[in-house]
Amino acid sequence: MSNDAAGRQTRFIVLLAALVALGPLSIDGYLPGLPDLAGDLRAGAAATQLTITACLAGLAIGQLIAGPLSDTYGRRRPLLAGLALYTIASALCAVAPDVRTLVGLRLVQGIGGAFGIVIANAMVRDRTSGTRTARLFSALTLITGLAPVFAPVLGGQLLRVTAWPGIFVGLAVLGAVMLAACAAGLPETRSSAPRQPLPAVVGQLLGDRVFTGYVLANGLVFAAMFAYISGSPFVLQEIHGLSPQQYSAVFAVNAAGLIAAARISGRLVARAGARVLLLAGLLGATAGGTTVLGAVLTRAPLPALLIGLFVLVSSVGLVMPNAAAQALADHGGHAGSAAALLGFSQFMIGGALAPLAGAGGATDALPMGIIVAVLPALALLTLGVLTRPMPGERTPRPARQGPAGHRRPRRHIDRRRGKVHQQLKGRWPNRREPRLPGTPSARPRFDARGMEHHRHSD
């Protein structure tokens, strides 16, 4: 690869990573300013928390809008429109007069941010295939793991020099920079295509049980991590007495484990394969969740609980990139819609099940233990049932497709001549190569009994 091509590839990956980071930054970046926000807008804790829920809902709904649009009108135009919407909504959040207005604007902000997430994933599928897709998804998972850790830190640093509206101004500036960068340097990876009704596309995708299996497995494991995020502050601080600083250190260590697992996945996927690494991640998540539940039931010391949580969260770094690569592998024609369903399932399943982790209040860790143990096991079962070959169904051969979905020509051996040929359009290329008159024939001739005649000149 030339230096220019390598530079373009690097810029492409950096832009995709920045697009994926918009969602976590929008969710977690303003968390340090929540108390001041509630005081300035005279809102209660429940109404203030609703601003987080609205952003999550926007990120989920927006992906269902962005995916089909990007399949129909190409990737660039919907992406630029979404980034413009995100920038405007972020700026308006800074001047929201009351909490109800802020909740509505956060919903719109989430919808705009969802365009970046889903179109970035679709662009990965447009430009790569096979192990390269899984490797690039692993790199994006690194950003997904880093952004929630550093977003509150960045927000806290901004609060040193400004009030909570300054955080939304910073997000608006980031959105504007991303809009300009994508307009100038992000190429179109898919041309326009005939518009198809969204229900028909969704029905086609969900009718593929293998795709559904990978989507559900990914969503269930992601929901287990959501349950950890929502339940661990109470379990570790209220029950086990960790200070906020100690809890932050535990959270950072677990995030580092997720990042390391994603990095390992990117290095091993070419050798082991995406499905093998996905199964390893599901087994690890199941083992970690079971360890957490066992520690809760037996009232084991804190280290046992921390080990289980570390294994659970780290395993997500193996599950997410490889589940995404496997789910999108056979749907290059609808990569945007497929990526939208993948992301939508993450936020919807996680948003629906994660609150159950706090059903026991601040003094009971059993609900969180049950959820983080059951969901990965259910994901493993779902994957095994939905993605295995049915009776009488041939086991699919490993995909050998190019970035645009074109299959590589299969190579066959002509046993009679001992030569390797390529099968193009279902026919053997047996046409004789032209030769000059009077030169010996380069191809042996056979009689009816299969005996070879001596070569002769024409």
Side-chain angles (χ1 to χ4, degrees):
M1 181 181 293
S2 65
N3 291 334
D4 291 341
R8 289 193 298 268
Q9 180 72 3
T10 301
R11 288 192 295 270
F12 179 72
I13 295 174
V14 169
L15 285 175
L16 295 188
L19 291 173
V20 170
L22 276 182
L25 288 174
S26 303
I27 297 171
D28 302 327
Y30 83 120
L31 292 181
L34 278 182
D36 294 338
L37 184 152
D40 292 346
L41 299 182
R42 298 178 181 178
T48 305
Q49 292 288 338
L50 192 59
T51 61
I52 302 176
T53 304
C55 186
L56 285 172
L59 288 170
I61 297 170
Q63 295 193 54
L64 290 182
I65 300 173
L69 287 178
S70 69
D71 284 340
T72 302
Y73 300 107
R75 310 299 187 206
R76 274 178 56 87
R77 286 188 292 171
L79 174 62
L80 298 180
L83 289 175
L85 181 65
Y86 175 87
T87 302
I88 295 172
S90 299
L92 292 177
C93 284
V95 296
D98 53 61
V99 72
R100 291 185 178 179
T101 304
L102 181 60
V103 168
L105 291 172
R106 287 281 287 170
L107 177 67
V108 178
Q109 184 191 37
I111 292 175
F115 275 67
I117 296 174
V118 68
I119 293 178
N121 290 332
M123 283 183 164
V124 171
R125 180 59 186 87
D126 291 340
R127 294 285 292 267
T128 62
S129 63
T131 58
R132 290 185 61 195
T133 302
R135 189 179 296 115
L136 189 49
F137 274 129
S138 297
L140 297 183
T141 302
L142 294 178
I143 305 302
T144 305
L146 282 172
V149 176
F150 288 103
V153 177
L154 295 176
Q157 294 302 315
L158 281 176
L159 288 177
R160 291 178 177 269
V161 297
T162 184
W164 65 266
I167 297 177
F168 288 106
V169 172
L171 292 175
V173 171
L174 176 62
V177 171
M178 287 300 306
L179 177 61
C182 291
L186 195 64
E188 177 62 73
T189 60
R190 176 183 171 85
S191 59
S192 301
R195 183 176 179 84
Q196 295 185 3
L198 178 60
V201 176
V202 172
Q204 178 183 347
L205 292 172
L206 295 182
D208 183 349
R209 60 180 179 82
V210 175
F211 171 80
T212 305
Y214 288 122
V215 168
L216 289 178
N218 181 72
L220 289 169
V221 172
F222 194 80
M225 188 176 71
F226 257 49
Y228 149 75
I229 293 173
S230 62
S232 61
F234 302 100
V235 172
L236 296 179
Q237 295 185 67
E238 299 295 333
I239 298 177
H240 291 277
L242 294 185
S243 66
Q245 293 74 25
Q246 290 172 329
Y247 171 74
S248 299
V250 170
F251 193 89
V253 169
N254 290 338
L258 185 150
I259 294 168
R263 181 67 174 170
I264 292 172
S265 174
R267 290 182 175 273
L268 295 182
V269 67
R271 299 179 182 178
R275 182 176 174 83
V276 172
L277 293 176
L278 172 60
L279 290 174
L282 292 176
L283 290 172
T286 303
T290 304
T291 303
V292 171
L293 180 59
V296 171
L297 291 174
T298 61
R299 300 182 183 275
L302 179 60
L305 178 64
L306 295 180
I307 290 174
L309 291 175
F310 177 80
V311 174
L312 169 68
V313 177
S314 299
S315 299
V316 178
L318 293 177
V319 173
M320 289 181 60
N322 295 295
Q326 292 288 92
L328 301 183
D330 296 328
H331 296 283
H334 300 292
S337 300
L341 286 176
L342 187 71
F344 178 80
S345 68
Q346 287 182 348
F347 288 103
M348 290 305 296
I349 297 176
L353 298 180
L356 298 178
T363 59
D364 189 359
L366 185 59
M368 187 193 78
I370 293 175
I371 290 176
V372 300
V374 170
L375 291 185
L378 185 59
L380 187 61
L381 177 63
T382 300
L383 185 74
V385 171
L386 293 181
T387 64
R388 67 178 180 180
M390 299 298 290
E393 183 179 72
R394 293 182 61 185
T395 303
R397 307 178 99 182
R400 297 187 296 174
Q401 296 183 343
H406 300 293
R407 295 189 64 87
R408 297 177 184 175
R410 295 178 180 175
R411 298 175 64 84
H412 297 272
I413 298 178
D414 186 349
R415 298 183 182 277
R416 187 179 64 181
R417 300 181 178 95
K419 295 183 179 180
V420 178
H421 298 276
Q422 288 186 338
Q423 184 183 19
L424 301 175
K425 299 182 180 180
R427 296 180 299 176
W428 286 88
N430 284 334
R431 299 180 62 183
R432 184 178 302 174
E433 296 182 359
R435 57 188 177 87
L436 297 176
T439 58
S441 174
R443 187 183 301 275
R445 298 180 180 180
F446 299 86
D447 59 16
R449 296 175 298 171
M451 301 297 293
E452 182 178 353
H453 288 297
H454 292 288
R455 296 180 181 179
H456 59 88
S457 300
D458 291 339

